[in-house]
Structures are given as structure tokens and as C-alpha cells.
Amino acid sequence: PRMALAGRPSALVGRSVGQLEPPDHAGAMPRKTARKASPSPDSSASESTNASGRGSPASSAAASEEAVLSIVARDKCDPNLWYIHGKSYDLHEFVPKHPGGQLAILSGRGRDCTALFESYHPWNDRHRKVLKAFGPEAPAADPFYEEIKAKVREAYPRGNKETKMRLRTIFGLSSMWCLMMYLMFFVQTPLACAAAGCIMATVGTRLAHEGGHYQLSHKEWVNRLALFLGYFPTGPSMAWHYRHVISHHAHTNQEEDVDVQYIWMADMLPGWFKVLSIPVVAAGALFEIGPKQLLDLLVLRHVGGHRVDWRIGQLLPEIAVWLFVHLYFGPPLLSYVCFWFAAGLIFVPCSQVAHAILFPDAQQHKSWAKMQIAESCDFASDSNFWYHMAFGLTTQIEHHLFPGIGHHCYDRIRLLTREVCQKHGVQHFDVSAKKAFGALWSRWVLGHTVPLA
């Protein structure tokens, strides 16, 4: 059975999402993507087929797609409200009843959480009915995304009961995590910490990543514990939660994606300098997503522009525990550098390869689901070696469409997604490892993308 990881460091900045519209509800200010779409297949007649297979007017489908990408400007958000599809909601009464746990729903408070609302509820439409009880009814679901979800529901009729991480995978990851902690906090030599860094990049990150996406269990505390322990050698895990779940997944390759915040700077540098700087980038990326996040969480109180809420996720106690353990029981500074360097050499390319090679020249779509597909790339999807080396995320398209579903399901979902994309004329990239990493090298050294098709 496959066992692997997932994750991604900072690297890149991007496209603006502008053009505010008039207030829509309770001061909410929806805005649409400012990308100038080159002609895309969105307007094809096949777009009018919904998840049940019945036809609907193409104009209605287009309207639904626009609604999926309506977002509220961050500076217009009330910190005590939830913003979904351009509307504001007070969901405090529902927080204790939320089936996915309080961290999941409170993470959307004070920000536009449309993408979180849509992507973490693939099994039924109850979330839309609940929303109606607290304010305006949500717009019709994206028909393209609904068609993919219908196929996934058919493939996994038991839903969450058969798509959580398998017990043998949890056992394997936990065993390797124990070895990583022993090497880092007991052996502590530079070589041992370098080995711990390799385990962090291929095991610890997956444990944290899948815990952060609620993939391990129906129980909130199990997922939170996996997030905390998996990320512990690198930094406070709530930093990863804000970087990855709140920023990257909801706004892949967009202005709000923290992972693209440095690309403009890298593109200004000569290629030879970037090649020579690879060791610094490897170690620096791990420092950026680890210790440096203390500044973002405690002082700036935002991660890549996304507001940090000290009230959720036991953030302050976690930071206190992390600092105490690392300051009093951590290895020497040189060993930390070896840990960051070894982890970064694996983590940086394997986490960036599925997205950076498409930045910033992806196709244009109004549908959120189509944009996730356009901004992601599957690579070496039939290779067990790359599955493990790339911490389980050789199928990034499917992961971004269904982040709450376990990695072991993505191989099957990949075929379903590809089938729907082919039907609607949507480009679904699935390339070899050689082509993917070659494109990443060109993107880094030359500063521009290369054709994948």
C-alpha cells in the first residue's frame, strides 16, 4: 500500500483578483476574478448537463459558475461573520453542531470561505440547506463540479466511511514519525538531523497535511493531533493550517495564495544566480514555513494577508509548547540547518511541481472547480516511487477538488475527473515526472512556463 506525504513551501506572486461590485448583503462586497479569459470551452453546449444528467439552460450553468468565484474583499470582512458566495452569515449558533468539528467551521469566520464551503462537502447537499437557515440561499451549485461529485459518490457510496486514511497507513506514518523525533531530539547530530529532515519531507508532512485536511478520522481531535505532531519538527502547526488550507487551497496560484508571494522577486534574478542559490532556497523555505511563522502568527497576526484568529486551534498554547521543547531540548543550530536543508531539497521541488509550472499562464475559467484543474497538474500518477517521494500528491488536481478525501482514493477519482474534463473540453494535465520536473527547472531558471501538452 502507498504511504506518503503532502505539503508545499512558499515560493511564488501573482495575479490580481479585483473589480469590486456593489454591496450585496450586510456590507459584503463580492468581487470577480480580474483574469481576462482567453476563449475557453466554458460556453459549450455540453456545459448544460448537470450531475443527474438532465439538461439545463447554458445560461444558468454560466451563472452558477460566476457565483462560485464571487469572493469578498478581505478588508470588507467582519471578523465575526462568514462570507460565502458574496453573502454574509452569522453561523455562531451552528458552530457546536458542525459535523466536521469546530476548527473546520471557525477557520472560515472573518473571511470569504466559499472555496472551503464547496470543496469540503462532497457527499451531499446538506450544507446548502443549513446555510439557507442562517441567511440568503446559496446560488445553484457549479454544474461541472456537481457532475464530478456525482461520479465520486457513485464510486464511494459509503462516503466518509470508506475514504478516510487507512489504519495501516496511520500506523506506518506514526512509526516513521517516532524515528524522526528520535533522530532529531535524542541523537541530534547533523547527520541524524539530515535524516530526520528526509523523513519530515516524506512522512511528517503527510501526517500534518492529511490531519489538516481532516482526512484521518471523523473525530476532530484525531485530525488536530496529527496536524500538531506531524508538523512539530518544523514549526507550530496552525501556521501550516493558515498557509495551506486557508490560503493555498482556496486561492491556488492567485493573489491570495501565500505560496506565490515571492515569485515576482525570483523572476527578477538571473538564472545562474538562482541555480547557485538552490541550497539556500531549500533551507530557507523550511525556515520560512517554520520558525519565521512565529512572527506572522504572534506579531503581524496574519499569514500572507489572511487574518490569524488566536481564539481557535489552541494556537497560543501550541506555540508555547513548541518554543519550550525546541529551545530546551532541540539540537544545535548546525543540526537545525541540516534538517532544513535535507527536508527542503525534497519538499520544495515536490510541492511546487504541480502548481508552479502553470504559473501564471494557466487557462481561464469562471468555475472554481475548473480553475483548480487549470492551476494544478497530475504527474507520474502511475508511479509508486514518485507517489512516496512527492508525499502522496502526484494527483494534485483531485486533491484540490476533494481535499477531505484520503490520498488512496485519488487514483480512482483521477480517472473520473479526466472523463468529465474530456466531456466538457477542459484541459486535464497528467504528465510524466521527467516533463514535470523539467518544466519546473525551466520555470525556476528561465522565469517562464513551458508547454505541457
Side-chain angles (χ1 to χ4, degrees):
R2 290 177 168 177
M3 293 191 319
L5 321 187
R8 54 188 299 98
S10 251
L12 305 160
V13 171
R15 296 189 259 275
S16 63
V17 185
Q19 296 188 351
L20 293 178
E21 294 179 350
D24 193 48
H25 177 265
M29 297 277 292
R31 55 178 181 172
K32 299 178 183 176
T33 177
R35 299 181 178 198
K36 297 290 184 179
S38 53
S40 76
D42 284 12
S43 59
S44 65
S46 62
E47 201 75 283
S48 60
T49 304
N50 60 24
S52 63
R54 293 177 292 191
S56 60
S59 58
S60 298
S64 296
E65 289 191 355
E66 281 203 27
V68 173
L69 272 190
S70 293
I71 64 174
V72 179
R74 285 178 293 192
D75 60 347
K76 302 296 182 182
C77 291
D78 185 317
N80 294 305
L81 297 178
W82 285 256
Y83 293 85
I84 303 171
H85 288 297
K87 308 291 196 298
S88 61
Y89 300 85
D90 186 345
L91 301 177
H92 284 95
E93 291 184 11
F94 184 67
V95 169
K97 307 174 187 176
H98 186 246
Q102 295 194 19
L103 176 60
I105 188 171
L106 289 174
S107 295
R109 182 174 59 186
R111 69 185 87 251
D112 187 284
C113 53
T114 301
L116 302 178
F117 172 80
E118 294 291 352
S119 62
Y120 280 99
H121 303 95
W123 302 116
N124 54 58
D125 297 319
R126 285 200 292 264
H127 60 301
R128 309 186 88 83
K129 297 176 181 177
V130 169
L131 199 64
K132 185 178 179 181
F134 291 91
E137 183 176 3
D142 175 4
F144 174 77
Y145 190 32
E146 286 298 299
E147 188 169 346
I148 299 176
K149 286 197 290 186
K151 290 184 176 294
V152 173
R153 291 170 185 171
E154 183 179 355
Y156 299 98
R158 297 174 60 216
N160 275 328
K161 294 181 180 180
E162 58 180 323
T163 57
K164 294 298 182 183
M165 183 185 284
R166 294 173 290 195
L167 287 177
R168 63 175 179 264
T169 305
I170 295 176
F171 177 79
L173 293 175
S174 300
S175 299
M176 292 300 295
W177 179 86
C178 291
L179 175 60
M180 172 180 65
M181 295 295 287
Y182 172 75
L183 292 172
M184 185 169 186
F185 289 97
F186 290 90
V187 181
Q188 295 193 345
T189 64
L191 184 60
C193 286
C198 294
I199 299 174
M200 179 66 212
T202 53
V203 174
T205 313
R206 181 176 179 184
L207 196 59
H209 176 269
E210 296 189 34
H213 283 302
Y214 322 108
Q215 290 184 18
L216 269 75
S217 171
H218 302 283
K219 299 182 183 298
E220 181 181 19
W221 71 266
V222 174
N223 294 314
R224 183 66 185 92
L225 182 64
L227 173 62
F228 168 72
L229 293 177
Y231 206 68
F232 191 81
T234 302
S237 64
M238 284 302 290
W240 176 259
H241 177 74
Y242 281 104
R243 291 184 63 89
H244 189 73
V245 178
I246 301 300
S247 175
H248 169 66
H249 262 261
H251 311 284
T252 311
N253 276 10
Q254 306 297 312
E255 177 187 21
E256 289 86 355
D257 184 357
V258 67
D259 283 359
V260 304
Q261 65 182 350
Y262 295 130
I263 192 60
W264 66 272
M265 187 183 304
D267 286 346
M268 294 175 61
L269 301 174
W272 63 266
F273 182 84
K274 287 187 280 189
V275 172
L276 294 178
S277 68
I278 287 176
V280 178
V281 171
L286 266 290
F287 181 83
E288 161 74 18
I289 65 174
K292 185 263 182 183
Q293 292 298 291
L294 293 171
L295 173 66
D296 296 338
L297 295 173
L298 295 176
V299 181
L300 301 179
R301 294 194 66 174
H302 69 77
V303 176
H306 296 271
R307 185 180 59 84
V308 170
D309 189 343
W310 287 355
R311 298 171 290 178
I312 67 173
Q314 300 83 36
L315 186 148
L316 295 180
E318 179 188 13
I319 290 177
V321 170
W322 189 86
L323 284 172
F324 175 78
V325 172
H326 279 267
L327 288 175
Y328 287 95
F329 301 102
L333 179 60
L334 176 60
S335 295
Y336 271 109
V337 173
C338 292
F339 171 84
W340 296 332
F341 174 72
L345 281 180
I346 300 172
F347 182 75
V348 173
C350 290
S351 63
Q352 292 296 309
V353 67
H355 301 292
I357 60 177
L358 297 168
F359 183 86
D361 300 324
Q363 300 178 45
Q364 309 298 316
H365 297 289
K366 294 177 181 178
S367 159
W368 174 82
K370 289 183 180 179
M371 283 308 306
Q372 290 293 330
I373 294 172
E375 298 290 7
S376 306
C377 174
D378 291 349
F379 71 97
S381 52
D382 294 321
S383 169
N384 283 327
F385 170 80
W386 283 111
Y387 179 90
H388 292 291
M389 185 59 65
F391 26 84
L393 285 185
T394 52
T395 47
Q396 280 275 18
I397 290 176
E398 289 65 40
H399 174 57
H400 273 250
L401 291 175
F402 302 100
I405 293 180
H407 289 15
H408 63 282
C409 301
Y410 291 152
D411 271 348
R412 188 175 181 183
I413 295 176
R414 169 173 60 97
L415 302 179
L416 303 176
T417 304
R418 185 187 298 175
E419 178 184 336
V420 176
C421 287
Q422 187 174 18
K423 173 184 175 181
H424 291 271
V426 176
Q427 180 75 63
H428 181 289
F429 286 116
D430 192 344
V431 301
S432 67
K434 180 179 180 180
K435 177 171 283 189
F437 285 104
L440 181 65
W441 179 261
S442 297
R443 182 67 187 88
W444 171 248
V445 176
L446 304 179
H448 61 73
T449 59
V450 296
L452 295 179

